[in-house]
């Protein structure tokens, strides 16, 4: 490459685009893992994906990725061309996923700045054996051939323009999508791909690697190539075809003389017709220009274009049909999005400071105009906040597909026949939330496959005819997202869990087993070191996993709910917030301190009379309302504050719902509703039960954000 060329942008683009391709590859493979074979579209898609990754990896000199993608490309080229019947489908699926894993691991090394030193020789050897078997070739592949495949690395090359009687000549025109970035690199991918069959290859613009401005020329005028090769037209079209970044490709075989004429600048108009000779294009272009001048008042420029000629038909002028609007995307660094989120948070705080300023409370001030402006400011800041939040929202599709992969891998290793179903995978949540739930979901899905689903023999013995099934679903409700992992396995054994809990000293010795509800018993499996498995396996039995799930979920203000029916299966439900950044909160005061609770947690505020209270000898308090009895938490007493109101008739009772339980939270006064910017409690402060964060109020004071789950724990 030319000296001084910026390879960092190329590397970022390489990682981004190939990461997208690998995700699409995994989705395609997992969607058809239960079929008898890949359909033709999937075979073509996987072939193109491997071809693209091979070309881009060759440009970046990642030899091992190039070699392994080339070998898998060979497999799917054979499948596409020969359509063999003896292909073991599940084995092919595993080979594709192994290649995907290998490339993903190498790309992770690239992101971390580590050497890309993974050994692809074993995978290539396995693919060679597989390919020879479906070709009907017995025995292992020759070692020399294997070595050649493993060392198939990109090199600088020179193609001598020596034509033979077998040589063909082609004109190629490529047009990229309007939102394609670094089109010059995409163009070079095509050049690199064609070099394997080319005897001679010319292209314009020429300096596509050393001159970054060539990208603008390519986007405006397209990328044109002249190819001399001993290859048929279909083979060239297979290499150069529409795909990830390419919107249109024209490949036309031409004469040797047309090839020798090279590129004509005056023929490089916006509309390029590769079906005719250069002289015919020039003549027709002159006629069209003259016609436009004469009929300027009748035909608006751009209304008509010359359409390509169909076999046996003359060229004709055709009215352009309006194209559907194409969505345009750009990739943004996550750190910039986080910074933008912090700025909107500061804007919300500043807005509260301005609107709640004590200077506005001076008697006699006429604030009509100010109030109008304040309303408009609040509307704009709210809309801005919603837009920024939507930018951070991403669908759960990729996370769910990773779980699909886990079910496939674990079920194959355990020899269980399991079906995986996804429901609501397009549900969108904050990106930070997804980062926190990936590991918990992985543990829950593995447990469903290992603990929940019985072996095929056990299911048959119990009369279950259908295969095992794991369902992963998501839905949004009242600012929360519910993610459920459900299986149709054996369910949780209440007696076994209680026996294990009593053995470990978890249960109250004075309390009978029957007094524990099913939900209380099932929550024991989330305690550290708790496991009912007698044998330690690769996936379970060590008593770790579920406690990690609960801890990670609680860190983002979520809860884990467990339901189970013996013999029918279990359902693990995660209830987590849609976002961690800005919430609607209720501000309350107790003992001179301010507290905030998410408004969705509070069901109602009530004034309580003393005769509604029930006082137990052990100090516990309850409030009777409409025939229901709720336990009471006095916030001032809970945190040892001074100066809080002791009489319930002087304060306010908030009925709070958390983890399917309701309780009364007694506070001194209710301040009001406010948008709250959630800030983490500084690390130098010891973690306090019942608190999940802090925020700044409009008057500049600090308020603590309450975690209802911690108040009833």
């Amino acid at each position: 490459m030319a000296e001084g060329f910026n390879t960092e942008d190329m590397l970022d683009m390489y990682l981004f685009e190939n990461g997208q391709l690998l995700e699409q590859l995994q989705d395609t493979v997992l969607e058809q893992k239960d079929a008898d074979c890949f359909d033709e579209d999937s075979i073509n898609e996987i072939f193109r994906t491997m071809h693209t990754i091979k070309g881009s990896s060759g440009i970046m000199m990642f030899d091992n990725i190039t070699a392994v993608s080339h070998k898998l490309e060979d497999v799917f080229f054979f499948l596409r061309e020969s359509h063999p019947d003896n292909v073991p489908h599940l084995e092919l699926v595993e080979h594709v996923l192994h290649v995907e894993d290998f490339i993903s691991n190498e790309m992770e090394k690239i992101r971390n700045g580590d050497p890309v030193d993974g050994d692809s020789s074993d995978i290539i050897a396995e693919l060679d054996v597989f390919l020879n078997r479906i070709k009907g070739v017995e025995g292992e592949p020759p070692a020399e051939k294997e070595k050649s495949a493993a060392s198939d690395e990109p090199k600088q090359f020179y193609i001598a323009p020596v034509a033979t009687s077998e040589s063909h000549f082609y004109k190629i025109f490529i047009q990229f999508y309007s939102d394609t970035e670094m089109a010059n690199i995409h163009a070079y991918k095509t050049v690199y791909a064609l070099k394997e069959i080319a005897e001679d290859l010319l292209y314009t613009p020429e300096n596509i690697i050393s001159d970054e401005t060539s990208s603008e020329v390519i986007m405006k005028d397209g990328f044109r190539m002249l190819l001399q090769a001993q290859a048929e037209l279909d083979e060239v079209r297979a290499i150069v075809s529409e795909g990830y970044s390419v919107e249109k490709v024209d490949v036309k075989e031409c004469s040797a003389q047309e090839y020798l004429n090279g590129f004509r600048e005056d023929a490089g108009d916006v509309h390029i017709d590769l079906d005719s000779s250069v002289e015919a294009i020039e003549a027709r272009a002159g006629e069209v220009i003259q016609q436009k001048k004469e009929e300027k008042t009748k035909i608006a420029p751009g209304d008509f274009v010359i359409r390509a000629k169909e076999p046996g038909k003359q060229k004709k002028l055709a009215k352009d049909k309006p194209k559907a609007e194409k969505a345009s995307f750009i990739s943004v660094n996550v750190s910039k999005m986080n910074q933008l989120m912090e700025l909107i948070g500061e804007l919300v705080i500043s807005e509260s400071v301005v609107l709640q300023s004590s200077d506005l409370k001076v008697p006699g001030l006429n604030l009509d105009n100010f109030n109008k402006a304040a309303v408009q400011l609040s509307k704009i800041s709210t809309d801005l906040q919603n837009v920024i939040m939507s930018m951070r929202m991403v669908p759960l599709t990729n996370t769910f597909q990773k779980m699909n992969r886990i079910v496939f891998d674990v079920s194959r290793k355990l020899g269980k026949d399991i079906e995986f179903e996804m429901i609501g995978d397009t549900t969108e949540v904050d990106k930070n939330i997804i980062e926190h739930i990936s590991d918990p979901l992985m543990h829950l899905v593995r447990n469903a496959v290992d603990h929940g689903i019985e072996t095929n023999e056990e299911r048959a013995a119990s009369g279950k005819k259908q295969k095992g099934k794991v369902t992963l679903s998501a839905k949004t409700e009242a600012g929360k997202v519910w993610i459920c992992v459900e299986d149709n396995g054996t369910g949780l054994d209440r007696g076994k869990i209680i026996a294990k809990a009593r053995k470990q000293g978890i249960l109250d010795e004075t309390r009978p087993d029957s007094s524990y509800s099913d939900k209380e018993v099932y929550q024991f499996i989330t305690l550290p070191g708790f496991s009912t498995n007698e044998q330690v396996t690769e996936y379970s039995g060590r008593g770790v996993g579920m406690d990690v799930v609960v801890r990670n979920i609680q860190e983002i203000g979520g809860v884990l709910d467990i339901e189970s029916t013996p013999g029918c299966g279990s359902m693990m439900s995660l209830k987590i917030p849609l976002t961690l950044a800005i919430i609607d909160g209720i501000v309350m005061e107790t003992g001179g301190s301010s507290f905030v609770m998410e408004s969705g947690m509070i069901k109602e505020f009530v004034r309580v009379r003393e005769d509604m209270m029930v006082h137990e000898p052990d100090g516990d308090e309850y409030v009777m309302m409409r025939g229901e009895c709720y336990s009471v938490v006095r916030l001032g007493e809970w945190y040892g504050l001074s100066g809080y109101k002791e009489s319930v008739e002087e304060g306010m009772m908030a009925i709070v719902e958390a983890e399917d339980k309701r309780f009364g939270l007694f506070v001194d006064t209710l301040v009001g509703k406010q948008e709250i910017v959630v800030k983490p409690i500084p690390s130098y402060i010891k973690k306090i039960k019942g608190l999940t964060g802090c925020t700044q109020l409009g008057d500049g004071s600090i308020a603590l954000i309450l975690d209802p789950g911690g108040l009833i724990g």
Side-chain angles (χ1 to χ4, degrees):
M1 296 182 186
E3 186 176 353
F5 182 68
N6 185 5
T7 59
E8 291 186 5
D9 290 341
M10 288 178 60
L11 191 60
D12 291 340
M13 185 60 65
Y14 170 84
L15 294 173
F16 173 75
E17 292 190 345
N18 285 354
Q20 299 280 64
L21 288 174
L22 290 175
E23 288 180 2
Q24 295 171 11
L25 173 68
Q26 181 170 271
D27 293 350
T28 300
V29 173
L30 292 177
E31 283 175 4
Q32 300 197 29
K33 69 179 187 299
D34 296 324
D36 295 330
C37 61
F38 288 117
D39 58 39
E40 187 174 350
D41 289 340
S42 298
I43 291 175
N44 289 331
E45 182 180 346
I46 296 173
F47 173 81
R48 286 194 297 267
T49 297
M50 287 297 102
H51 185 78
T52 301
I53 293 176
K54 179 191 74 172
S56 59
S57 301
I59 295 170
M60 302 303 297
M61 303 300 176
F62 299 134
D63 302 347
N64 52 356
I65 300 178
T66 303
V68 74
S69 55
H70 190 176
K71 182 53 63 179
L72 186 60
E73 179 192 18
D74 288 344
V75 173
F76 278 87
F77 179 79
F78 176 74
L79 295 176
R80 188 180 68 169
E81 298 299 322
S82 302
H83 306 287
D85 297 327
N86 60 331
V87 180
H89 182 63
L90 275 180
E91 185 178 346
L92 177 58
V93 168
E94 290 182 338
H95 281 309
V96 177
L97 292 178
H98 287 165
V99 170
E100 189 268 337
D101 285 342
F102 176 82
I103 298 176
S104 296
N105 290 336
E106 295 306 291
M107 288 175 58
E108 189 62 30
K109 293 179 183 178
I110 297 171
R111 291 188 186 94
N112 297 332
D114 298 329
V116 187
D117 53 3
D119 185 5
S120 61
S121 58
D122 289 342
I123 298 178
I124 291 174
E126 292 172 0
L127 289 172
D128 266 326
V129 172
F130 180 82
L131 181 57
N132 284 333
R133 190 162 77 248
I134 62 177
K135 283 182 176 180
V137 179
E138 298 295 333
E140 296 290 330
E144 191 174 330
K145 181 179 179 182
E146 181 179 321
K147 180 180 179 181
S148 173
S151 61
D152 181 14
E153 60 183 33
K155 300 177 181 178
Q156 293 181 343
F157 58 90
Y158 171 75
I159 304 169
V162 178
T164 67
S165 59
E166 301 296 328
S167 297
H168 297 268
F169 304 92
Y170 300 97
K171 291 182 178 181
I172 303 172
F173 172 73
I174 299 177
Q175 182 177 331
F176 296 97
Y177 286 109
S178 58
D179 59 348
T180 301
E181 298 181 14
M182 300 179 69
N184 57 322
I185 303 303
H186 289 281
Y188 189 73
K189 289 180 185 179
T190 306
V191 173
Y192 186 86
L194 286 173
K195 69 98 178 179
E196 296 186 5
I197 65 169
E199 294 178 328
D200 190 26
L201 183 60
L202 304 173
Y203 49 87
T204 183
E206 296 179 357
N207 300 324
I208 54 177
I209 290 297
S210 59
D211 184 6
E212 296 183 39
T213 61
S214 62
S215 179
E216 300 176 4
V217 178
I218 293 173
M219 292 302 299
K220 179 182 177 182
D221 299 333
F223 185 60
R224 291 183 290 157
M225 291 184 287
L226 293 173
L227 172 67
Q228 172 188 318
Q230 295 185 22
E232 298 298 330
L233 182 61
D234 290 343
E235 186 177 352
V236 177
R237 287 187 185 276
I239 296 175
V240 187
S241 59
E242 289 84 356
Y244 181 71
S245 59
V246 178
E247 181 177 20
K248 177 184 177 184
V249 173
D250 286 328
V251 181
K252 175 190 175 290
E253 189 168 357
C254 63
S255 66
Q257 184 58 47
E258 289 175 323
Y259 179 84
L260 293 175
N261 287 340
F263 301 105
R264 296 286 186 89
E265 294 298 330
D266 53 354
D269 207 347
V270 175
H271 304 293
I272 299 177
D273 179 8
L274 295 177
D275 289 338
S276 304
S277 66
V278 176
E279 292 77 11
I281 294 175
E282 292 174 346
R284 189 160 56 249
E287 292 175 2
V288 172
I289 294 172
Q290 183 63 30
Q291 183 181 3
K292 286 184 178 181
K293 290 181 179 178
E294 294 175 355
E295 301 181 7
K296 188 173 182 180
T297 58
K298 297 180 181 179
I299 303 176
D303 279 353
F304 294 88
V305 296
I306 297 178
R307 294 298 189 196
K309 184 174 76 172
E310 298 180 10
K313 294 183 180 180
Q314 288 185 337
K315 294 185 186 295
K316 61 180 180 180
L317 291 174
K319 186 74 175 179
D320 259 344
K321 293 182 180 179
K323 294 182 179 179
E325 184 175 352
K326 185 176 182 293
S328 179
F329 298 93
I330 62 171
S331 56
V332 180
N333 193 308
V334 175
S335 63
K336 293 183 179 179
M337 290 297 300
N338 292 337
Q339 185 179 7
L340 187 60
M341 197 69 245
E342 292 177 2
L343 289 175
I344 187 61
E346 296 300 325
L347 177 62
V348 170
I349 293 174
S350 298
E351 179 188 356
S352 300
V353 171
V354 172
L355 299 184
Q356 298 176 22
S357 173
S358 58
D359 295 342
L360 303 176
K361 300 177 182 179
V362 177
L365 283 180
N366 183 0
L367 299 176
D368 290 344
N369 291 334
F370 176 83
N371 289 333
K372 290 179 182 179
V375 170
Q376 182 67 11
L377 174 63
S378 298
K379 180 180 181 302
I380 293 174
S381 63
T382 300
D383 290 345
L384 180 61
Q385 172 192 332
N386 291 335
V387 170
I388 295 175
M389 290 302 301
S390 67
M391 292 167 62
R392 291 182 57 87
M393 304 294 273
V394 294
L396 288 164
T397 305
N398 290 338
T399 303
F400 276 27
Q401 283 291 4
K402 292 177 183 176
M403 303 305 116
N404 190 359
R405 174 69 186 281
I406 289 174
V407 172
F408 176 77
D409 288 343
V410 177
S411 63
R412 290 278 289 172
K413 289 182 179 180
L414 296 178
K416 297 180 179 180
D417 191 10
I418 298 178
E419 176 188 355
F420 181 75
E421 181 182 15
M422 297 188 302
I423 301 174
D425 57 295
T426 57
T427 302
E428 293 187 338
V429 299
D430 192 292
K431 188 179 187 303
N432 284 341
I433 294 290
I434 288 184
E435 293 174 355
H436 282 83
I437 67 174
S438 291
D439 285 344
L441 269 185
M442 180 185 68
H443 284 294
L444 294 180
V445 170
R446 278 183 173 173
N447 281 349
V449 177
D450 188 18
H451 287 284
I453 305 294
E454 312 95 323
T455 63
N456 298 342
E457 295 76 14
E458 290 172 342
R459 292 184 70 83
S462 61
K464 293 183 177 181
K465 302 297 183 183
Q466 74 275 26
K467 64 170 63 176
K469 185 175 183 180
V470 175
T471 303
L472 185 57
S473 60
K475 65 177 181 178
T476 55
E477 182 180 297
K480 299 285 184 179
V481 58
W482 288 83
I483 301 179
C484 301
V485 179
E486 185 176 3
D487 66 76
N488 64 349
T490 186
L492 296 176
D493 189 331
R494 173 188 168 96
K496 197 172 183 179
I497 295 174
I498 287 182
K500 185 73 172 183
R502 191 166 294 282
K503 181 179 179 181
Q504 293 187 354
I506 298 173
L507 302 183
D508 186 350
E509 295 294 339
T510 63
R511 185 177 174 183
D513 295 349
S514 59
S515 65
Y516 289 95
S517 67
D518 286 345
K519 285 200 172 184
E520 287 179 301
V521 173
Y522 296 153
Q523 286 295 327
F524 291 151
I525 68 175
T526 65
L527 298 177
F530 192 97
S531 177
T532 57
N533 266 19
E534 299 298 333
Q535 294 182 345
V536 175
T537 69
E538 180 182 354
Y539 304 107
S540 62
R542 295 180 175 86
V544 296
M546 290 301 293
D547 60 316
V548 176
V549 170
V550 173
R551 185 167 63 249
N552 288 358
I553 294 302
Q554 288 178 344
E555 285 180 358
I556 56 175
V559 295
L560 172 65
D561 184 52
I562 303 175
E563 297 179 12
S564 181
T565 303
C568 296
S570 305
M571 182 168 69
M572 311 284 180
S573 301
L574 304 179
K575 182 182 179 182
I576 53 180
L578 278 173
T579 179
L580 300 177
I582 301 177
I583 61 173
D584 288 328
I586 302 295
V587 183
M588 302 166 284
E589 285 188 0
T590 294
S593 299
S594 298
F595 297 89
V596 178
M597 183 175 291
E598 186 179 349
S599 56
M601 297 284 189
I602 302 177
K603 299 307 173 185
E604 60 178 324
F605 286 96
V606 292
R607 289 286 185 181
V608 178
R609 301 186 309 274
E610 187 61 42
D611 59 3
M612 299 168 63
M613 299 295 296
V614 178
H615 303 276
E616 295 288 340
D618 59 1
D620 291 342
E621 292 182 294
Y622 299 89
V623 59
M624 296 294 299
M625 292 177 52
R626 297 185 289 274
E628 295 286 340
C629 183
Y630 303 104
S631 62
V632 174
V633 175
R634 292 177 179 261
L635 197 58
E637 183 178 324
W638 179 273
Y639 288 118
L641 303 176
S642 60
Y644 64 88
K645 297 177 181 179
E646 297 186 6
S647 173
V648 294
E649 297 184 355
E650 296 179 0
M652 181 69 69
M653 187 74 71
I655 304 302
V656 180
E657 183 175 15
E659 301 180 11
D660 294 331
K661 296 180 182 178
R662 290 196 176 191
F663 67 96
L665 182 66
F666 181 69
V667 297
D668 290 355
T669 58
L670 171 64
V671 178
K673 186 176 181 181
Q674 183 176 323
E675 283 188 332
I676 300 301
V677 180
V678 180
K679 301 286 187 180
I681 295 178
S683 58
Y684 55 81
I685 297 179
K686 182 181 178 181
K687 186 173 179 61
I688 301 175
K689 192 173 183 180
L691 298 181
T692 187
C694 59
T695 188
Q696 183 179 354
L697 300 178
D699 60 1
S701 62
I702 300 298
L704 299 174
I705 301 174
L706 295 173
D707 171 25
L711 296 176
I712 61 175

